[in-house]
Structure formats: C-alpha cells, structure tokens
Amino acid sequence: MYWGTLAGIRTRWGVYHRVDVGFVSESYGCAVVDGWRRTARVSVSVSFRRRSSLGGRMTTKTTTTRRKRARDEDDDETDDAVKKPTKPTTKPTTKPTTTCPYLDTIDAHALGNFDFEKKCAVSLSPINVYACLTCGKYYAGRGRATHAYAHALESSHHLFMRLRDGKTWCLPDGYEVTGDEGGDASASLRRIREVLRPTYEEEYVKETLERRSTWRRALDGTEFLVGCVGLNRVSAAYESTSESSARDFGASAVLQALNRVPLLRRALLLHDDSSDSDSSLFGALSSLTKKIWNEKNFKGHSSPHEFARAARERAGKTGASLMNGDAAQFTRWLLNELIRDEKKKSATKHSVVESCFRGRIEILDADADDAKKVAPFLTLTVDLPDAPLFQDVMEKKIIPQVSLEHKLLKKFDGVTVDPKTRKRYRLRELPPYLVVVVSRFAKNNFFVEKNPTIVTFPTRGLNLAAHIPVPAGDETSATYDLIANVAHDGTPENGSYRAHALHAPDNAWYEIQDLIVQEVLPQQVTLAETFIQIYERRREEARARSP
C-alpha cells in the first residue's frame, strides 16, 4: 500500500480540504488537483480522509471497486475460522461439469492405496487435504491462496480429489469433476474413489468375501488374494530413534490375526467411519480392514500408517509404552481400547470385541475353596516350563517340547496351583473365540530372556472338555479350531513376528510376514515358535459335518 497527499481539492460546498490517498497497483483512480488531472493506481478501494480547513469535523468516505472473482473457495478453507456476518450478496453458483479435458492426466500408480497420513505436504495441516491425481502428493485447500492452487499453477497438475469425501475439482479453473460421462478416464476416477473410501454391503460381505476366494491383479502386474495382503511394519511410527524403530513388537502380525475373526471383521467392514473422530481407534482399524479386503486396490499390500498414528496418540493419552512391550501386551491393550471406543459411541454399551473374546474365569486360593472370585478375561496366558541351563553330551542345548492340550491348559483345571500367584483357575464361561498367549519372554534384573520351548498344538479339534473342566452345558460344544497364529523368530531385541492366517473360503493357510505372503501347509504352522493363537469355537452344524 502506497500513501500520498493531495492538497487543495475543492468540494461542491466550496470548502478546501487536505486529502490523503491510499492506493495499490492493478486499477486506476483519478482526482483533479488545481485544475490538473492526477491519476493513481488503486485496486480494491481508495480511501479519502478529509480534514476541513475550517476546523470542521473529520469525515471518511470510502469508495470500493471490487473485481469480480470466481468464487471457487468452498467452505472448507475457513472451517476453523469464525466468519463475520456480512450483507447478503448474490453469489454465482458453479454447476458441476462432467466434461474435463484433464482426465487423461490421472496416474493411478502414484496414488497407491491412500495409506499415508492425510496431511499437506507443505504446511503439514490435516484440515481439508486434497490429493493431486497426477503426482499423488497431498495439499491443503483449493482456493487461490492455498497450496493446492499453487501446485496446479507451478506443475500444471489440474485434478485434485478431496480426501474427506472423494469429490474432485479441476484447478485453477475451480469446477467440480464428476466423471459420469463414461470412458476409461472416468472409470479410473470412479475406481480411485472406491480405493479412497471403500464401502461394503452386508450381503456382499456374507455371500462373497466370506465364501469365495477372490484373486486380483495389481497395477504392477502382481496378483494378490483379497484379504491376505501384506502390511508394512509399523514399529518405526512409535519412536524416533533408529534403535527402537528397528524393533518389531508384532503390531502387523496381530492385525493380520484379528482379521481372521469373522464376527469382528464383519463389524469393521460394515462400520460407518464418517462420523468418527480422528482419535477413534476403532474407526482407524475399520478403515484399515476395509483396505485389506478391498478388491479394487491398486497395490497388493497396504500400510497401517493411519492406524499407527491413532494408536500412537491413544497410547500417549493412556500412558502405555507399546515399544517396550511385545505382541501379547499390544494385543491386550488393543482389545481393551477397542471396547472402550465401542462403548463410548454405543448407547446400549454393546461391544463386538467383548462378544467375540470375553469369557469368565474363576479364581480360587491355593488352600481354600471358599475364597473365590469370578472375573472376565479376553486372553488366556499359559506358562512354559523353564528352559534347561546345561548342554547335553552333544554339547547342544536340549529344546524341550510341551503339549498345549495335555500340559499347558492344565493351569485351568481348578486343581493345579500357579507357582507365581499361588492361585487356582477354572473356566466358567467359554468365549466364541479363544485367544491363547504363550508366555515366552521373562524379564530379570539385567535383560529379557526368551524361552525356546516348542509347543505342539492341533490346528483342528482342540477339545477343552477332554482335558480340563468346562462350564456345565458346554461339554459337547467345547471344541475349537485354529484360525490364526502369531509366531516369533529370533532374539527378543532383534526378532521378528509372522502371522499364519487361515483363509476360510479355500481352507488354506498363508504365512504373512510384513509384505511377504506365501501359502504354507497346516503342518508348517505347528512347527513355528507360537506366541499368540486365536481359536474359533465350532458351531453345532459345523461340528456335525466335520469327520
């Protein structure tokens, strides 16, 4: 803004005034001073502050000259700003158009599966983020003063999709692109919307996903099985140091295992996450599950980066240290936080996670039967016998073997006393899905030690009634089948986790370790150093059909 002073302007009242003129470039305003025509460039307004030579009261007169602009700035540019009341004006409306000459500039290879955190690449703002459909980068806003608009002018990338709802605009023109005119480009735009926000119908989930094995081809030519896709390791998202970021605490393997639970998976796929807050852990897990089971994906793997962000924020609020734990600790923490999110949102306080995994156990003292307590549980922890300290005659350590059915589950027969707690345990209510945790890690005063004992277990037909007392009425329905297994390899500090998942439509086992997915035999599942197991309780009709 430039300021100048024009003196001696005579008004129609015959009074001379001293005039201060403020102006900027772009337009022109004129004034007559002492018979000469003075021209000043002004853009929005020229403000004359008149001071009467007769000592009169100073008055202000504002002349506004506005250039008509295309009102392409939508309400999302001022979502967090307080709007001042203005006079009603006639606002030009821009109708969505379906003919865009830039649809052929869409590059689906650069978009991925929209796995990464939805923040602007320049300002790191998570508000009103748009994805450039040409280069795949994220920018905030789409008005003239936003980063998306500047990117469109600098890089000649014109199509931007709003990540909140999948609407597409052409910049800098500012019109909406619907993509309904047909053709390959429009079909590509519709597929991008389906990858961004996949939706599922209940009939499709029950009849197609849970009963049919679907193979698809990614954009790079590789084939992937819908529902059995790799996940990036998310351990680096919790800590910033290189030493801790390299440590795997089993988050990806646990997420793969939980996706094998049909009841929980169905609730996550049908969940409406449009009303969820950014800190909702259940909504983040729902979005990740929808991407895992989306047959329109561009890639044969996904990244749980959004879920990792939500888990990191929740862990910071609750004071949990996920990196210092293992997969068992992460599983217990995750199940409890999911239950908390469900009950907070549901008016009936109903939780799908509780209906899947919650059972009841009776706790008795070692010497008295009268002092007993019934408590709910989500996971059952079994203890391994101590590993041998000395080597055998072949100068090798003996790795013992122990049976899950005949040895480890005896902890819950109501007779065996736990040497650590001096308590006895007895099952009072069996859950539909039983989560068994094998306690492999023991921490002493100096380091964390891993027990390498091999656990033998069946993949089908684990009958609890044949080994431990079960609640009355469940003697004939206490048979479980394994649907997921999480194994740990290596040392506690530098080891890694892998998941064995049963794909129910083709009854085949797949080993998933980060991004690597391969089919394995059921016998190979039992050879791994199992750490977490998820069993599904047989139904009456399923048990009647089984041999």
Side-chain angles (χ1 to χ4, degrees):
M1 174 72 71
Y2 300 92
W3 289 92
T5 301
L6 301 178
I9 297 181
R10 183 172 182 175
T11 64
R12 60 180 179 178
W13 297 285
V15 180
Y16 288 88
H17 298 275
R18 181 181 176 181
V19 182
D20 295 329
V21 181
F23 54 91
V24 294
S25 60
E26 285 188 9
S27 301
Y28 293 89
C30 302
V32 178
V33 181
D34 295 335
W36 294 341
R37 186 178 183 89
R38 305 295 185 184
T39 302
R41 300 185 65 186
V42 295
S43 173
V44 177
S45 63
V46 179
S47 180
F48 297 91
R49 290 199 288 270
R50 300 181 298 179
R51 189 180 307 136
S52 175
S53 62
L54 301 178
R57 183 179 180 183
M58 184 177 64
T59 60
T60 303
K61 180 180 179 182
T62 303
T63 305
T64 304
T65 57
R66 295 184 179 274
R67 187 179 2 168
K68 295 183 180 180
R69 298 180 178 180
R71 295 183 175 268
D72 58 336
E73 295 90 348
D74 57 352
D75 295 335
D76 61 8
E77 294 183 25
T78 56
D79 281 345
D80 53 346
V82 179
K83 295 183 179 181
K84 297 182 179 179
T86 57
K87 295 182 180 180
T89 56
T90 304
K91 185 176 181 179
T93 58
T94 303
K95 297 183 179 180
T97 180
T98 57
T99 57
C100 180
Y102 303 109
L103 287 176
D104 56 348
T105 62
I106 297 177
D107 187 7
H109 294 80
L111 298 176
N113 291 338
F114 298 97
D115 297 326
F116 298 104
E117 194 169 2
K118 297 176 176 58
K119 286 186 177 181
C120 176
V122 180
S123 64
L124 300 181
S125 173
I127 303 175
N128 308 318
V129 181
Y130 290 75
C132 175
L133 300 185
T134 304
C135 64
K137 296 180 180 179
Y138 296 165
Y139 296 96
R142 58 182 175 86
R144 297 196 175 189
T146 60
H147 300 293
Y149 193 90
H151 177 72
L153 295 178
E154 293 174 358
S155 305
S156 297
H157 297 170
H158 301 282
L159 292 181
F160 292 82
M161 177 174 290
R162 187 161 60 187
L163 300 181
R164 185 177 63 197
D165 51 13
K167 292 185 178 181
T168 307
W169 274 270
C170 179
L171 299 182
D173 298 34
Y175 59 84
E176 183 179 356
V177 180
T178 60
D180 297 334
E181 72 275 10
D184 295 339
S186 299
S188 178
L189 186 61
R190 290 192 297 269
R191 182 179 177 183
I192 292 175
R193 293 195 185 105
E194 294 175 352
V195 173
L196 173 63
R197 300 185 62 87
T199 56
Y200 298 86
E201 300 292 337
E202 185 174 2
E203 182 179 359
Y204 172 77
V205 173
K206 293 182 179 180
E207 300 297 331
T208 304
L209 288 184
E210 297 181 356
R211 296 188 178 185
R212 299 178 184 177
S213 181
T214 306
W215 287 85
R216 288 293 182 266
R217 186 180 298 276
L219 294 180
D220 58 358
T222 60
E223 294 184 349
F224 65 94
L225 178 62
V226 177
C228 289
V229 298
L231 292 178
N232 289 328
R233 184 178 297 184
V234 299
S235 57
Y238 292 94
E239 298 289 343
S240 58
T241 59
S242 59
E243 182 179 354
S244 59
S245 62
R247 184 176 182 270
D248 184 15
F249 62 97
S252 299
V254 170
L255 295 177
Q256 294 282 7
L258 292 179
N259 265 272
R260 300 304 109 192
V261 181
L263 187 60
L264 177 60
R265 180 180 65 236
R266 191 179 307 164
L268 292 172
L269 291 177
L270 300 179
H271 175 70
D272 183 14
D273 54 359
S274 59
S275 60
D276 290 334
S277 60
D278 294 338
S279 59
S280 174
L281 197 61
F282 192 89
L285 183 58
S286 173
S287 300
L288 177 61
T289 305
K290 291 178 181 179
K291 293 179 181 180
I292 293 177
W293 292 88
N294 188 11
E295 61 180 15
K296 301 294 182 64
N297 281 341
F298 296 139
K299 301 184 298 183
H301 60 273
S302 297
S303 175
H305 192 83
E306 287 290 316
F307 173 81
R309 179 191 59 83
R312 182 178 65 250
E313 294 179 357
R314 180 65 60 85
K317 294 179 180 179
T318 58
S321 180
L322 301 181
M323 282 300 302
N324 295 332
D326 49 33
Q329 179 181 342
F330 175 76
T331 303
R332 299 188 191 99
W333 175 85
L334 178 60
L335 295 180
N336 284 282
E337 293 300 325
L338 292 177
I339 294 174
R340 183 180 303 178
D341 280 358
E342 286 188 282
K343 290 187 176 181
K344 184 186 300 182
K345 188 175 181 180
S346 176
T348 59
K349 302 299 181 181
H350 173 71
S351 173
V352 179
V353 178
E354 272 192 333
S355 61
C356 289
F357 303 107
R358 189 181 67 86
R360 301 180 68 188
I361 190 171
E362 186 180 52
I363 306 174
L364 304 95
D365 289 339
D367 302 326
D369 293 338
D370 298 335
K372 59 183 179 181
K373 175 184 177 182
V374 178
F377 70 89
L378 296 175
T379 62
L380 286 181
T381 303
V382 294
D383 301 321
L384 293 176
D386 295 334
L389 299 177
F390 305 101
Q391 297 178 345
D392 59 1
V393 294
M394 303 298 295
E395 295 185 356
K396 294 182 179 179
K397 284 189 176 182
I398 301 175
I399 300 179
Q401 295 187 11
V402 62
S403 173
L404 176 67
E405 300 172 282
H406 301 90
K407 180 64 176 179
L408 299 183
L409 290 179
K410 292 297 182 181
K411 176 182 178 180
F412 306 101
D413 59 1
V415 178
T416 305
V417 178
D418 188 0
K420 297 180 181 179
T421 60
R422 301 299 300 172
K423 299 288 185 179
R424 294 177 295 152
Y425 304 96
R426 183 186 297 123
L427 296 179
R428 283 304 182 191
E429 182 181 344
L430 298 179
Y433 298 91
L434 182 64
V435 181
V436 179
V437 177
V438 180
S439 181
R440 285 196 175 274
F441 300 106
K443 186 176 181 180
N444 52 31
N445 296 331
F446 304 99
F447 54 87
V448 178
E449 185 179 8
K450 178 184 176 182
N451 193 329
T453 301
I454 298 176
V455 180
T456 60
F457 56 91
T459 57
R460 292 185 58 83
L462 175 61
N463 188 7
L464 298 182
H467 306 285
I468 59 175
V470 296
D474 292 337
E475 293 84 358
T476 59
S477 59
T479 305
Y480 286 82
D481 296 326
L482 186 68
I483 58 176
N485 176 58
V486 177
H488 183 270
D489 302 319
T491 62
E493 294 79 11
N494 302 320
S496 60
Y497 291 89
R498 52 194 171 107
H500 297 99
L502 175 64
H503 192 60
D506 54 5
N507 198 26
W509 283 92
Y510 291 89
E511 182 182 275
I512 308 175
Q513 185 172 9
D514 296 337
L515 302 180
I516 303 176
V517 181
Q518 57 183 357
E519 186 176 359
V520 295
L521 297 175
Q523 293 79 3
Q524 295 177 269
V525 178
T526 60
L527 299 178
E529 296 182 3
T530 180
F531 190 40
I532 301 175
Q533 298 176 337
I534 300 181
Y535 288 89
E536 182 182 18
R537 192 175 182 179
R538 284 188 184 179
R539 302 174 184 175
E540 294 295 334
E541 60 272 14
R543 190 175 65 257
R545 290 196 301 267
S546 62

